[in-house]
Amino acid sequence: MITLKGVLKTYSSEVAIGPVDLEIPEGGITALVGANGAGKSTLLTMIGRLLGMDAGAIEIAGYDVARTKSKDLAKIVSILRQENHFITRLTVRQLVGFGRYPHSQGRLTPHDEDKISQAIDFLDLGALEGRYLDQLSGGQRQRAYVAMVLAQDTEYVLLDEPLNNLDVSHSHAMLQTLRRAADELGKTVVIVVHDINYASCWADQIVAMKDGGIVAIGSPAEIVRQELLAEVFDLDIEVTEYRGRRIAHFYLPVPVCEHCHKQPGKGCCLDGSPVSPGPVPLTLGRPA
Amino acid sequence: MLVSKPEAPRSSQPLATPRLRRRYWTLLTTLLALSALFAFGLLAWDNPMPVGTEGFWIIARMRATSLVVILIVAFCQAIATVSFQTATNNRIITPSIMGFESLYRAVQTSSVYFLGVAGITAIQGVSQFLLQVALMVGFALLLYGWLLSGRYGNLQVMLLVGIILGAGLGSVSTFMQRLLTPSEFDVLAARLFGSISHADPAYLPYAIPLAAIAGGALWANAKNLNLLSLGRDAATSLGINHRRQTMVTLFFVSILMAVSTALVGPMTFLGFLVATLAYQLADTYDHRYIFPMSVATAFIVLTGSYFVMKHVFYAQGVVSIIIELVGGGVFLLVLLRKGRL
């Protein structure tokens, strides 16, 4: 279990994340969703001890993140950031091999090599394991990073936007891998995703965030509702059910008033709201 | 019937394939053989006595000091630069931008400025050497300690402040040089080129253990350096105390740089050159393999340029000029042919 108590990170007098109280249960996939700047990644990096907090406490499986040695935590929790750039030239297998460091301290045993092979095969990278990272596509590289995290073999796996840079089929494969990691390997996976529908269809639990605080926690059916999404994303999104999953139709244009460019019921002039001058005229690029 | 080739065992070793392993050891052996050849060349070239006679060895022994100095400088510069680039996660800077060389220039210049030509002799001697080392390490520690452990601890800020302080010290030195008499300036200028013959053999009993301890500590820490090269986030996730490791690494780097600079003067380009070449030659992430390659490369570059300077141009050991000229060319060649750092 991951427990956050009064976790606070202050960036300036106006911008702060928290104070957040949150419990993420063991097992399954938990997705953090929210608008840009809601604090999802910040929260995840604080749980993964990559960022210090200004107040509060985070415990993972009973270990205080701020006080436990980094070396010991590395056997319990692994975290992957969104952007990874290495100055050294590594093959896929060497990168994944680094994941064994907390267990091997750099001296790889046959057991470690087995685990590395497993992680590589789990992400279907067997044919690419001798390739250098700079010879891979963005999607393949993303998979290699996830393989490294899996080779670390920790109970808790934190991934910051693992679907970043992936097309639909690779996103699908990645989610399937994470699902298997949760179901077959019993890992607790926490991910940050942008697309609410991926969270709705694949996660066991969704944590919705806004302006540095938590709006709601619950199963996809509890979170993916029109009113709640309107609160979280400031957008009126129609939600329907398809094969038992809630799908938010945010791809569709939301009907707006032609006169004031606002949605009916949200300050539109037709509802009797004070008439605003209408949409800002767009003259950029037009011949004078 | 289908007979499949027996598969090579899947291995995550730093040199993954037999071909890479062969390539590495062949290159390292070649470099070591070249080092031995160059070292012998320095001892034997222009030696009036026939090889092997007693007189030959007497002369060789007198020249051996410069060989030891070269070895120390090669070891210090190579290991310090590779470690520094790993700790800062940047392969186009060298530890000299942290102000070691500007400090050296400032110390040399101000001694001549305040004491006249006599000043140059006043700052030579074992205690003065140790004082210079201590000054440079202290300067570096102050910078690292203050900037890395503070609330806004940030490597980029530290590097920037280092560069600016270095530039400031450099301008003060240049200003003082303007006010020197031509003869004083002439004496000083000779000290400001990196030169093997600056080193006084009396410094060696102190320089060798200092370099050995600092370099040995970094070498023993090679596995953690491998992790540091993955960057702060990945290294932390894998269980490294990133800030502590960075501080410890930079501390030892500052000792190595201080010893080398106080011994022979500024060698700005050497470390950068050999580190870049060593990455190409070793072609692995593992510092246990990069270190020997970089030290061997540095030794060859130094002995080679020393040889040319001494026996072709008769310029008694002013090696930094050759290193920057020829080394820069080799560096560009390697970079343009390989197309990556």
Side-chain angles (χ1 to χ4, degrees):
Chain A
M1 185 145 80
I2 302 176
T3 318
L4 286 77
K5 277 190 201 126
V7 171
L8 182 72
K9 178 84 192 169
T10 320
Y11 284 106
S12 67
S13 53
E14 291 102 49
V15 184
I17 309 291
V20 170
D21 292 288
L22 175 67
E23 279 193 1
I24 298 174
E26 249 165 75
I29 298 179
T30 301
L32 301 179
V33 301
N36 287 341
K40 309 170 300 262
S41 294
T42 306
L43 201 64
L44 195 81
T45 41
M46 282 198 285
I47 297 173
R49 66 159 164 356
L50 298 185
L51 185 69
M53 51 199 150
D54 295 328
I58 298 175
E59 274 188 12
I60 301 177
Y63 292 91
D64 187 325
V65 167
R67 263 184 247 129
T68 312
K69 273 190 191 165
S70 189
K71 202 171 157 184
D72 299 329
L73 274 177
K75 292 181 190 168
I76 302 162
V77 60
S78 52
I79 177 163
L80 181 68
R81 290 295 295 270
Q82 220 179 105
E83 270 162 39
N84 295 282
H85 172 72
F86 302 135
I87 51 164
T88 44
R89 210 157 166 261
L90 296 169
T91 65
V92 170
R93 195 174 173 95
Q94 286 167 348
L95 176 78
V96 179
F98 269 116
R100 295 305 298 168
Y101 190 88
H103 307 277
S104 69
Q105 302 300 322
R107 212 170 275 117
L108 294 171
T109 62
H111 173 72
D112 290 316
E113 293 281 5
D114 269 357
K115 290 267 183 184
I116 295 166
S117 297
Q118 270 178 39
I120 287 175
D121 296 340
F122 199 80
L123 278 135
D124 199 20
L125 287 165
L128 300 175
E129 71 173 18
R131 289 248 209 120
Y132 285 96
L133 289 178
D134 54 11
Q135 300 167 332
L136 300 181
S137 72
Q140 291 166 335
R141 215 173 299 151
Q142 185 73 7
R143 266 153 62 208
Y145 297 145
V146 173
M148 168 171 87
V149 168
L150 287 186
Q152 202 176 333
D153 201 14
T154 53
E155 201 187 324
Y156 295 85
V157 178
L158 315 176
L159 304 169
D160 193 357
E161 298 202 27
L163 306 182
N164 210 7
N165 291 328
L166 298 187
D167 60 27
V168 259
S169 80
H170 284 105
S171 296
H172 196 270
M174 177 62 71
L175 286 162
Q176 214 153 28
T177 307
L178 297 181
R179 199 64 257 175
R180 283 181 59 205
D183 296 341
E184 293 171 27
L185 309 177
K187 302 205 178 293
T188 306
V189 182
V190 183
I191 56 175
V192 170
V193 277
H194 259 298
D195 192 326
I196 179 82
N197 289 332
Y198 279 134
S200 173
C201 297
W202 294 86
D204 300 298
Q205 191 185 217
I206 296 179
V207 177
M209 292 188 69
K210 189 188 185 184
D211 296 338
I214 286 173
V215 179
I217 313 169
S219 66
E222 288 165 335
I223 301 294
V224 187
R225 289 180 294 126
Q226 193 158 0
E227 319 86 78
L228 195 68
L229 293 188
E231 192 189 337
V232 174
F233 292 105
D234 282 327
L235 187 67
D236 207 22
I237 304 170
E238 212 176 314
V239 176
T240 58
E241 205 163 284
Y242 184 72
R243 294 198 191 160
R245 310 278 189 190
R246 296 282 180 94
I247 306 289
H249 296 280
F250 53 80
Y251 296 113
L252 305 173
V254 179
V256 290
C257 168
E258 266 185 32
H259 188 55
C260 63
H261 265 230
K262 285 182 179 157
Q263 290 169 36
K266 278 194 142 185
C268 172
C269 56
L270 296 178
D271 302 333
S273 299
V275 180
S276 55
V280 179
L282 205 61
T283 54
L284 300 170
R286 268 196 206 160
Chain B
M1 203 178 99
L2 246 160
V3 182
S4 63
K5 219 168 61 179
E7 265 185 62
R10 298 171 71 176
S11 152
S12 317
Q13 294 311 311
L15 299 164
T17 61
R19 199 181 64 83
L20 279 175
R21 274 192 288 278
R22 254 196 321 276
R23 178 181 171 277
Y24 178 86
W25 290 113
T26 316
L27 273 172
L28 190 62
T29 321
T30 315
L31 288 187
L32 289 178
L34 272 176
S35 304
L37 190 74
F38 278 29
F40 181 75
L42 276 183
L43 297 182
W45 187 270
D46 226 7
N47 190 328
M49 305 299 283
V51 174
T53 59
E54 202 179 320
F56 172 84
W57 287 115
I58 292 174
I59 294 175
R61 213 167 296 137
M62 286 158 69
R63 294 178 176 186
T65 311
S66 52
L67 215 53
V68 175
V69 172
I70 288 176
L71 191 65
I72 297 173
V73 172
F75 182 81
C76 287
Q77 291 276 345
I79 293 192
T81 309
V82 170
S83 306
F84 186 77
Q85 294 189 340
T86 296
T88 53
N89 238 295
N90 188 330
R91 283 198 168 169
I92 53 171
I93 56 176
T94 81
S96 55
I97 70 166
M98 294 301 302
F100 295 103
E101 294 176 0
S102 321
L103 197 65
Y104 173 85
R105 285 200 177 92
V107 168
Q108 301 284 332
T109 309
S110 50
S111 65
V112 175
Y113 180 76
F114 291 114
L115 303 174
V117 177
I120 235 31
T121 41
I123 54 163
Q124 278 168 55
V126 170
S127 52
Q128 285 90 331
F129 167 76
L130 290 177
L131 196 70
Q132 274 199 61
V133 171
L135 204 63
M136 286 187 227
V137 174
F139 180 72
L141 275 190
L142 212 68
L143 208 58
Y144 302 153
W146 168 48
L147 286 165
L148 278 182
S149 59
R151 180 171 150 77
Y152 300 102
N154 182 325
L155 210 60
Q156 309 300 328
V157 174
M158 180 197 84
L159 292 177
L160 199 61
V161 172
I163 292 172
I164 290 171
L165 285 181
L169 278 175
S171 336
V172 171
S173 309
T174 313
F175 176 67
M176 286 195 281
Q177 284 163 20
R178 295 259 156 183
L179 304 178
L180 293 179
T181 64
S183 58
E184 283 171 338
F185 181 74
D186 193 42
V187 171
L188 175 67
R191 299 294 305 181
L192 295 182
F193 280 114
S195 171
I196 299 300
S197 29
H198 284 168
D200 186 332
Y203 300 165
L204 295 181
Y206 303 92
I208 292 173
L210 273 174
I213 290 170
L218 287 170
W219 205 306
N221 205 22
K223 282 175 191 163
N224 287 335
L225 286 175
N226 292 342
L227 279 198
L228 277 190
S229 70
L230 296 182
R232 183 180 165 276
D233 291 341
T236 308
S237 177
L238 292 171
I240 286 281
N241 185 338
H242 186 265
R243 177 172 291 175
R244 222 191 80 211
Q245 281 294 338
T246 310
M247 297 272 268
V248 169
T249 305
L250 291 181
F251 170 64
F252 288 125
V253 166
S254 69
I255 292 183
L256 290 177
M257 286 305 291
V259 168
S260 163
T261 309
L263 201 58
V264 298
M267 287 275 168
T268 315
F269 200 56
L270 175 70
F272 177 60
L273 173 76
V274 298
T276 309
L277 286 176
Y279 298 136
Q280 309 290 344
L281 295 174
D283 200 14
T284 172
Y285 67 87
D286 195 334
H287 288 75
R288 281 170 297 180
Y289 294 98
I290 299 174
F291 280 152
M293 202 62 108
S294 62
V295 174
T297 313
F299 187 79
I300 288 176
V301 169
L302 274 176
T303 43
S305 42
Y306 185 61
F307 187 85
V308 169
M309 269 319 210
K310 192 170 174 182
H311 296 297
V312 180
F313 294 111
Y314 303 102
Q316 286 304 332
V318 185
V319 288
S320 58
I321 299 168
I322 287 276
I323 291 172
E324 278 162 35
L325 193 70
V326 181
V330 173
F331 171 73
L332 282 181
L333 197 74
V334 170
L335 196 66
L336 292 178
R337 277 192 57 192
K338 276 234 178 180
R340 63 181 157 76
L341 275 170

